[in-house]
Amino acid sequence: MELIKKYFPGLTDLQISQFEQLEPLYNDWNSKINVISRKDMELFYLHHVLHSLAIAKVFPFTPGMRILDVGTGGGFPGIPLAIFYPEVQFTLVDSTGKKIKVVNEVVSALDLKNVEAIQVRAEEMKGQWDIVVSRAVTDLPKFMELVRNRVTRKPKGNQPKIIYLKGGDIDAEMSGSRYPYSVAPISGFFSEEYFSTKLVVKIF
């Protein structure tokens, strides 16, 4: 938790309390429904919470925005972002029912009013959002085809359509794609070794 305070010193008391509750909540639910590996739980704030919040360092969401988190798993990056941006609406989707159950229980325990969680496959979703976020669900070109109709057609200014947490050779992965993109190394924001190969990709 100290990592979160270190990189985001302006948090409110409510946000600090909500972030502090995350680890015991996930420990409890993980003992019943395995959504996070035991090794990752030992470094929960580093591997899951801070990693999710890297998106906030790359593109700040504004009040009233609607964000779709596709393949949210146990709620990442959606739940940490929803705590950080209480005036932004988040829809978290995953095809696995037990994962969405955990998300809903965590959302309820934290009394997050700005989160809706739905069990649905990406290709079966309906509706549009301002930005789609995700954490390495599949290769980027394939992911873009899955969600491209879920993004508002006319984003404002330099607003990306998709923000994706990933590692690897993005240029090679995107070589056949027609979509413009930019890449930000997370090591530019967070100094921990864990982030040395991790990236935030914005697709426009």
Side-chain angles (χ1 to χ4, degrees), residues 12-94:
T12 66
D13 289 344
L14 175 59
Q15 287 171 316
I16 290 170
S17 172
Q18 288 171 326
F19 279 125
E20 285 175 340
Q21 291 176 66
L22 283 179
E23 187 171 27
L25 279 169
Y26 277 101
N27 267 321
D28 180 44
W29 277 103
N30 218 42
S31 67
K32 305 168 192 172
I33 301 173
N34 187 31
V35 292
I36 296 173
S37 74
R38 190 163 294 164
K39 181 182 175 183
D40 270 352
M41 276 307 306
E42 292 170 7
L43 295 163
F44 175 75
Y45 284 102
L46 177 68
H47 286 193
H48 294 283
V49 182
L50 192 59
H51 191 199
S52 297
L53 292 174
I55 288 173
K57 293 289 190 182
V58 170
F59 186 85
F61 299 151
T62 53
M65 272 188 164
R66 297 173 68 248
I67 308 298
L68 175 65
D69 176 6
V70 174
T72 190
F76 302 97
I79 286 178
L81 290 171
I83 294 172
F84 193 74
Y85 291 111
E87 296 181 359
V88 173
Q89 296 299 312
F90 290 85
T91 302
L92 280 54
V93 302
D94 199 279

